[in-house]
Amino acid sequence: MANLNIDSVKARTFDAIVIGSGMSGGWAAKDLTEKGLKTLMVERGRNVEHIKDYPTTNMMPWEFPHGGKVPYDVQQANPIASRCYVFKEDAMHFVVKDVEHPYVQEKPFDWIRGYQVGGKSLLWARQTQRWSKYDFEGPARDGFAVPWPIGYDDLAPWYSTVEKFAGISGNHDGLPALPDGEFLPGYPLNAVEDHFRKHLKQSHPDRHVISARCAHLSEPKPVHIAQGRVQCQNRVLCQRGCPFGGYFSANSSTIPWALKTGLLTVAPNQVVQAILYDEQKGRATGIRVMDAHTKTTTEYYAPILFVNAGALNTNLILLNSTSSRFPKGLGNDSGVLGKYVAFHNYSARVSAEYEGLKEFTTDGRNPAGGGYVPRFRNVFKQEMDFLRGYATSFGASRGRVQPDSGFGPDLKQQLEKPALTPWGVHAGMMGETIPKETNYVRLDPTRKDEWGVPLLSISVAYDDNDEKMKQDFFTQFSEMFTQAGFTNIKTNDSHQAPGLDIHEMGGVRMGQDPKTSMLNKWNQLHACPNVYVTDGAAMTSTSTQNPSLTYMALTARAVDHAVSELKKQNLKTT
């Protein structure tokens, strides 16, 4: 019996454990296995294999029973998920249903999740921008959060590593506020997007319209072919999963790459209840999971743990990992675990029309989505009556006038050469919110889910700074649109709850001082250094860039450090 127990423990012991299989978890698994570590990756959702598990990817519009719409009864049963733009008939199977995974809203918060192998990397918007030195320096300069323990130069080489492997399309724009990277050819702006770019260059030299940078293979390199991926087909059906691997996802790229090493074990349907901590060793030793279906519990062990469960779920796991040493959650000596949560504010839009350039239209689809206006407020110094600023998505398109009458040759003529509407233009704000102690998550004291884990209680809200920033966005883009000759300008405040941006961050923030932060400059818990957190939970501030590229760069850097420390036996647990 003793030998059986020893064999059982040995079978459940790995060199590293990764909690979560999405954007950053997949990257951790890739790098850990590449460096020779036998790695376990646990995922609370079902398995999704590249190509095989994309059931709608090649369906035609008429093949969807409800024409692509979500049936009324499904909408009524899932009011939170239904507010998300990807919750349509072709992709709703990748979005968590409200009733299956409840949480507590102390204030309105739309928590959009993707519980499957690959996580939300199947659903992301694929926009990828580096942070600049000004983004990392912002909290210390303006005093709205603890200083970042790293700067742009620390992360720049890891941005390059990720960009080369993932495949990022973009142009070298030479902007200090948005550093260039290792790019594949960018996608072009259309005629009206370029018109706005030229106009803005003359009217506001410090403001720029660039082609959006995105994780699509415009021109695949050998490393992408080796992953089994080919050039993006510009289908723009990405949310279904791409059988070509035209855009980067954990399913098409990092996880298959890690599996090829023979060192990765993927364990789907495993809900992590807690991280195990040995007080005598002063280290985390493993995890306790419950099978999502059989409800049996199992413990796994490893000297290195990477927590990449998604920002809020990472908070949940650490809060629920209590011991005599850490009664308030693993590593929570400072008391800041779960606090200083922030997000991006996507609630403001400006639209207009343009009667010019009617000799042009668009041909095909642009997977980058159009243009991008980097942040121009408070970049180099504090100059407004609000903190931080906003980046902006910008695009222009023409619609087809649908024929409402006609028969025979007349109808055929209308269908073959449809009349076009004027150009429509649109701008969407991506505002930085300020991490505040009053924006927090915690464990509900009484309610648990069916896997024995306390429900996460979320208290996150906008503030006056967000409102001032929004009004500035409305004013600036209304003026710039007017100057560019656009008409019928309309502003729109969606009044959406936080969360719908799907960019929640913080709660396990990095920092120089263990008294005010959870993680050091290598993403290690200050108080438990063999646990690394490299997803959105680690973010000290949010800046305005789409965050996934930064999560992956942080992960690559942290894995390199972890393996180095392991070789030096600085993380040894036995």
Side-chain angles (χ1 to χ4, degrees):
M1 184 63 73
N3 287 337
L4 286 176
N5 287 337
I6 292 172
D7 289 343
S8 174
V9 171
K10 185 177 180 181
R12 290 180 281 117
T13 300
F14 296 80
D15 297 326
I17 292 174
V18 179
I19 302 172
S21 62
M23 201 68 76
S24 61
W27 196 277
K30 179 188 91 68
D31 278 9
L32 288 164
T33 54
E34 276 188 321
K35 294 178 185 296
L37 270 61
K38 179 185 173 186
T39 302
L40 172 69
M41 183 171 69
V42 294
E43 162 60 46
R44 67 178 294 152
R46 65 189 174 93
N47 196 19
V48 170
E49 293 185 26
H50 182 46
I51 302 176
K52 182 173 83 67
D53 293 320
Y54 304 156
T56 61
T57 189
N58 288 321
M59 288 176 64
M60 294 297 174
W62 55 86
E63 294 180 295
F64 288 94
H66 304 92
K69 306 291 185 183
V70 177
Y72 179 76
D73 60 333
V74 178
Q75 292 183 42
Q76 294 301 302
N78 298 279
I80 297 170
S82 293
R83 287 193 278 273
C84 180
Y85 69 100
V86 297
F87 195 71
K88 300 291 189 297
E89 193 172 22
D90 65 344
M92 62 182 182
H93 48 283
F94 290 143
V95 180
V96 164
K97 309 302 181 295
D98 296 1
V99 70
E100 295 174 0
H101 299 276
Y103 62 99
V104 180
Q105 300 182 63
E106 297 182 28
K107 298 174 182 175
F109 187 90
D110 292 334
W111 192 13
I112 307 300
R113 294 156 287 172
Y115 290 165
Q116 59 262 325
V117 169
K120 290 179 290 189
S121 77
L122 286 166
L123 301 168
W124 69 311
R126 308 166 306 283
Q127 300 293 299
T128 44
Q129 310 96 18
R130 293 187 179 199
W131 281 37
S132 74
K133 66 188 294 286
Y134 308 104
D135 299 305
F136 286 102
E137 293 171 359
R141 187 195 71 182
D142 299 333
F144 65 88
V146 297
W148 276 86
I150 61 173
Y152 175 72
D153 291 342
D154 295 307
L155 207 56
W158 302 103
Y159 275 133
S160 294
T161 297
V162 173
E163 287 164 345
K164 290 176 183 175
F165 189 84
I168 306 299
S169 299
N171 298 317
H172 291 84
D173 302 295
L175 305 177
L178 202 72
D180 294 330
E182 310 288 340
F183 295 147
L184 306 174
Y187 291 91
L189 300 174
N190 65 35
V192 171
E193 291 163 354
D194 196 50
H195 162 77
F196 188 53
R197 180 189 67 80
K198 293 175 179 174
H199 186 87
L200 206 58
K201 188 175 182 180
Q202 293 182 339
S203 63
H204 297 80
D206 63 332
R207 303 180 186 183
H208 309 275
V209 179
I210 65 172
S211 177
R213 300 168 180 176
C214 63
H216 285 256
L217 298 181
S218 60
E219 186 179 280
K221 301 297 183 184
V223 68
H224 307 126
I225 301 298
Q227 295 169 36
R229 302 168 59 199
V230 299
Q231 184 169 343
C232 174
Q233 306 296 297
N234 299 0
R235 302 191 321 155
V236 196
L237 299 174
C238 312
Q239 71 279 2
R240 302 180 184 182
C242 180
F244 303 96
Y247 75 92
F248 173 85
S249 70
N251 306 72
S252 68
S253 180
T254 48
I255 294 175
W257 193 266
L259 286 168
K260 283 199 298 186
T261 67
L263 294 173
L264 178 64
T265 298
V266 180
N269 301 307
Q270 302 299 307
V271 179
V272 176
Q273 294 181 324
I275 295 171
L276 308 173
Y277 181 78
D278 188 309
E279 298 190 12
Q280 290 186 331
K281 296 173 181 174
R283 294 285 189 271
T285 55
I287 57 174
R288 183 178 67 251
V289 304
M290 176 176 279
D291 187 280
H293 302 302
T294 67
K295 306 296 172 63
T296 56
T297 59
T298 307
E299 293 184 353
Y300 294 100
Y301 310 103
I304 297 175
L305 283 82
F306 271 74
V307 190
N308 301 86
L312 299 191
N313 270 322
T314 287
N315 277 272
L316 171 61
I317 290 170
L318 293 179
L319 285 166
N320 201 42
S321 301
T322 56
S323 61
S324 298
R325 168 67 180 86
F326 296 113
K328 297 182 294 183
L330 184 62
N332 192 19
D333 288 341
S334 61
V336 302
L337 175 60
K339 300 177 181 176
Y340 301 99
V341 172
F343 56 98
H344 284 153
N345 181 358
Y346 277 33
S347 65
R349 299 174 181 83
V350 179
S351 63
E353 294 180 350
Y354 186 52
E355 295 291 342
L357 297 172
K358 286 186 175 178
E359 67 274 31
F360 294 99
T361 183
T362 55
D363 183 17
R365 306 178 182 91
N366 181 354
Y372 178 87
V373 182
R375 181 161 69 97
F376 53 82
R377 288 302 201 199
N378 300 328
V379 176
F380 307 109
K381 62 180 181 180
Q382 178 62 41
E383 56 192 358
M384 304 301 296
D385 65 347
F386 57 85
L387 289 167
R388 313 307 293 157
Y390 49 85
T392 306
S393 61
F394 173 75
S397 61
R398 299 186 74 180
R400 292 184 174 188
V401 177
Q402 297 297 322
D404 57 4
S405 63
F407 298 94
D410 180 46
L411 177 60
K412 182 179 179 181
Q413 174 70 18
Q414 292 185 59
L415 292 173
E416 289 183 342
K417 295 183 179 179
L420 298 176
T421 65
W423 287 94
V425 300
H426 55 86
M429 185 184 81
M430 298 179 283
E432 177 173 359
T433 66
I434 304 303
K436 301 186 294 286
E437 188 171 13
T438 51
N439 278 350
Y440 63 85
V441 297
R442 62 187 179 94
L443 302 182
D444 187 272
T446 58
R447 287 171 284 187
K448 295 184 177 181
D449 64 19
E450 61 180 291
W451 302 282
V453 179
L455 298 188
L456 191 68
S457 186
I458 304 173
S459 179
V460 173
Y462 297 111
D463 62 15
D464 290 342
N465 195 72
D466 301 318
E467 185 60 31
K468 290 179 180 176
M469 185 184 300
K470 187 185 304 184
Q471 293 307 315
D472 185 72
F473 166 78
F474 285 148
T475 299
Q476 293 306 308
F477 272 83
S478 294
E479 289 180 359
M480 290 188 289
F481 277 11
T482 300
Q483 293 165 353
F486 300 158
T487 59
N488 195 22
I489 298 169
K490 298 178 180 177
T491 61
N492 176 265
D493 185 341
S494 69
H495 299 289
Q496 66 193 47
L500 204 56
D501 50 84
I502 325 180
H503 286 180
E504 57 270 13
M505 293 175 247
V508 195
R509 65 182 181 185
M510 299 174 71
Q512 298 166 348
D513 188 349
K515 295 179 180 177
T516 58
S517 62
M518 291 288 296
L519 304 172
N520 68 12
K521 65 180 180 180
W522 299 109
N523 291 81
Q524 296 169 284
L525 285 174
H526 287 298
C528 187
N530 67 328
V531 175
Y532 290 75
V533 176
T534 62
D535 61 11
M539 301 298 279
T540 304
S541 59
T542 72
S543 192
T544 58
Q545 286 87 327
N546 295 66
S548 293
L549 183 69
T550 298
Y551 298 167
M552 290 189 284
L554 286 172
T555 303
R557 181 174 180 269
V559 169
D560 187 70
H561 178 265
V563 175
S564 174
E565 289 295 287
L566 190 64
K567 289 179 178 177
K568 297 174 187 172
Q569 298 193 336
N570 290 339
L571 300 177
K572 194 174 181 180
T573 58
T574 57

